[in-house]
């Protein structure tokens, strides 16, 4: 049914001639704070602690270039051709070998190769969520997941974490609250290992309890695990999927353990769900790039990929240590942070009265960038939090970036002590008043 065009509000001028043609769901499609930050953070004079970009300098580029050249020369007619939406069979078999490190027993037929795990998130949300359905997610949560949920008009209910990850009792309370409101939960989205952005890891003793809670309430679990092999102490935690294969959809990626630019990820799903995912993949991309899949497959077959993961772990541990030591040396009183045991991120709480989103332009002026906490919540929370990523800069740059950041926060503390907070609880005020009363990006 075609809805009648709604005229612009009085006094507003449309900047987009197609504005009234868009589907209603596009209202939830907004640029993430992190994406908007990249253009500024990429300037060479800025120490970017914002993006989670892997340390590609650790890769054996000479041997990789030789392998890619040989792949084109010997298998180019296949590598450069269309393929299956399911993914290259050999790569799917190798993915099962990778997941076996986390205790997962899987059949290659139940693996669907995707264009990065972000595509997997999008497909899972598309096949499960109707507008208004509820997705449970840790608070804070991965910004890319929040974007996918919003695009399909799913409502996110955050579940609080502590130093040991998702709290089972908080999960029970969230399920009960959603039930009392008469709403329908479709799945729990969780990043159990070296969480993005919080950096915490779900305690092993909690994993079975959380799975049991979800089974008891008929809630699917979507396990996103791009960092699971990047533990600094060498420990690989058992995947949730390894315990409950019938109720867990597992998302994996080679972006953090090999090369992000190839955009190769996968979804491991129960058999019936797998069929829906293949259909969703066909409609979205027809097929994932065969060349990229075959490059990853060749890498796994010819290179010491386990040794490469060890190299990555050592590089990231060195950078983590540089970040933590600099935080301990420079951050003002009232600041707290976690010490991650793997992955890419430190989650920082700044002194009371400081708004990290409002502070960000002043930080960039001082040539340091971070990700403000509000971008990792669907409900406007997180104004006292920020995420720094230690994966990409050198240890020296990390230390300098943290020093600059700490100086910015100290200046903000002084301003707060002198003048008070400039705009307390802005996000809450905006939501309660129905949103900002200024023109949107589409009108002027």
């Amino acid at each position: 049914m075609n809805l009648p065009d709604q005229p612009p509000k009085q006094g507003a001028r449309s900047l987009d001639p197609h504005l009234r043609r868009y589907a209603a769901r596009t209202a939830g499609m907004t640029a993430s704070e992190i994406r908007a930050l990249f253009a500024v953070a990429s300037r060479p004079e800025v120490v970017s602690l914002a993006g989670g970009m892997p340390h590609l300098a650790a890769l054996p580029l000479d041997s990789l270039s030789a392998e890619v050249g040989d792949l084109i020369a010997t298998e180019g007619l296949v590598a450069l051709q269309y393929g299956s939406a399911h993914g290259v069979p050999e790569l799917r078999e190798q993915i099962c070998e990778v997941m076996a490190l986390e205790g997962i027993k899987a059949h290659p037929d139940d693996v669907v190769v995707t264009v990065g795990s972000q595509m997997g998130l999008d497909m899972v949300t598309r096949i499960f969520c109707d507008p208004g359905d509820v997705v449970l997610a840790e608070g804070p949560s991965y910004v890319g997941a929040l974007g996918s949920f919003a695009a399909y008009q799913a409502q996110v209910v955050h579940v609080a974490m502590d130093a040991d990850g998702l709290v089972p009792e908080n999960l029970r309370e969230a399920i009960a609250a959603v039930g009392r409101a008469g709403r329908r939960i479709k799945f729990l989205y969780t990043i159990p290992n070296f969480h993005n952005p919080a950096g915490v890891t779900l305690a092993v003793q909690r994993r079975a309890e959380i799975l049991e809670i979800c089974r008891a309430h008929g809630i699917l679990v979507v396990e996103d695990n791009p960092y699971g092999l990047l533990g600094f102490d060498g420990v690989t935690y058992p995947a949730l999927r390894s315990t409950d294969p019938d109720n867990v959809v597992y998302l994996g990626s080679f972006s953090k353990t090999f090369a992000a630019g190839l955009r190769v990820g996968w979804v491991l799903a129960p058999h019936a769900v797998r069929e829906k995912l293949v259909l969703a993949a066909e409609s979205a991309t027809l097929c994932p790039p065969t060349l990229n899949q075959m490059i990853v497959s060749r890498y796994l077959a010819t290179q010491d990929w386990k040794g490469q993961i060890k190299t990555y772990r050592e590089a990231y541990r060195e950078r983590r240590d540089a970040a933590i030591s600099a935080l301990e040396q420079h951050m003002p009183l009232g600041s707290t942070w976690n010490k991650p045991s793997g992955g890419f991120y430190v989650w920082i709480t700044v002194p009371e009265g400081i708004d990290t989103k409002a502070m960000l332009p002043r930080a960039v002026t001082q040539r340091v960038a971070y990700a403000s906490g509000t971008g990792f919540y669907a409900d406007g929370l997180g104004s006292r939090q920020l995420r720094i990523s230690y994966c990409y800069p050198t240890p020296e740059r990390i230390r300098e970036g943290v020093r600059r950041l700490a100086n910015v926060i100290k200046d903000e503390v002084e301003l707060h002590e002198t003048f008070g907070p400039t705009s307390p609880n802005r996000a809450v005020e905006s939501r309660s008043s129905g949103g900002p009363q200024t023109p949107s990006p589409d009108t002027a």
Side-chain angles (χ1 to χ4, degrees), residues 179-341:
R180 288 192 298 271
R183 301 164 72 191
R184 179 171 60 172
I185 300 171
K186 282 301 183 69
F187 56 80
L188 166 68
Y189 171 73
T190 179
I191 307 171
N193 300 318
F194 321 125
H195 188 275
N196 177 13
V200 301
T201 294
L202 180 61
V204 172
Q205 61 269 26
R206 288 185 180 180
R207 299 187 179 214
E209 184 177 1
I210 286 170
L211 289 171
E212 177 56 34
I213 293 170
C214 290
R215 276 197 305 270
H217 290 87
I219 298 171
L220 181 72
V221 176
V222 177
E223 176 182 15
D224 194 357
N225 191 31
Y227 310 98
L229 299 180
L230 295 176
F232 300 146
D233 56 6
V235 173
T236 300
Y237 294 92
L240 301 178
R241 167 76 191 204
S242 68
T243 303
D244 192 354
D246 294 329
N247 197 49
V248 177
V249 173
Y250 178 98
L251 304 176
S253 174
F254 290 105
S255 292
K256 307 303 188 294
T257 57
F258 179 25
L262 290 173
R263 308 306 301 129
V264 177
W266 70 91
V267 183
L268 173 66
H271 190 79
V273 176
R274 191 269 332 257
E275 290 299 310
K276 294 288 192 299
L277 290 170
V278 172
L279 294 174
E282 287 176 344
S283 69
T285 64
L286 188 62
C287 62
T290 305
L291 174 61
N292 293 17
Q293 294 179 75
M294 292 181 71
I295 289 173
V296 175
S297 180
R298 177 72 71 99
Y299 168 76
L300 294 173
T302 64
Q303 305 294 308
D304 179 15
W305 60 270
K306 293 180 183 177
Q308 182 61 49
I309 289 174
K310 183 175 184 293
T311 298
Y312 273 136
R313 287 200 306 260
E314 292 170 351
Y316 296 139
R317 180 174 57 228
E318 180 186 17
R319 285 159 168 76
R320 186 277 314 266
D321 291 345
I324 295 298
S325 64
L327 289 168
E328 293 171 346
Q329 180 179 356
H330 297 294
M331 289 292 279
L333 291 176
S335 305
T336 59
W337 55 87
N338 65 304
K339 183 177 181 180
S341 58

Side-chain angles (χ1 to χ4, degrees), residues 34-56:
I34 295 177
R35 193 192 84 179
L37 181 62
F38 267 126
V40 174
S42 62
R43 286 160 32 191
E45 70 272 18
V46 176
V47 179
S48 177
L49 304 174
M53 297 182 294
H55 176 53
L56 296 184

Side-chain angles (χ1 to χ4, degrees), residues 59-141:
L59 285 172
L61 296 180
D62 290 342
S63 60
L64 283 176
S65 63
E67 290 293 344
V68 172
D70 183 69
L71 174 63
I72 297 293
T74 59
E75 301 182 72
L77 294 180
V78 176
L80 301 176
Q81 188 55 272
Y82 287 120
S84 165
H86 203 162
V88 171
E90 182 179 1
L91 177 59
R92 289 190 279 112
E93 293 177 1
Q94 292 165 312
I95 286 171
C96 290
E97 296 173 7
V98 173
M99 292 188 295
L101 299 177
E102 297 173 319
I104 296 175
K105 296 179 181 179
H107 193 282
D109 285 351
D110 291 329
V111 174
V112 181
V113 179
T114 58
V115 184
S117 61
Q118 183 66 36
M119 177 184 170
L121 261 173
D122 185 271
M123 293 194 310
V124 168
T125 309
R126 174 147 58 110
I127 68 174
F128 281 108
C129 289
D130 292 314
D133 284 342
V134 171
V135 172
L136 301 177
E138 292 129 339
S141 191

Side-chain angles (χ1 to χ4, degrees), residues 342-365:
F344 285 7
Y345 309 108
V346 178
W347 186 244
I348 300 171
T349 297
V350 298
E352 189 172 355
I354 307 303
D355 184 327
T356 61
K357 185 175 181 179
M359 183 179 73
L360 183 54
R362 295 186 280 278
V364 172
T365 299

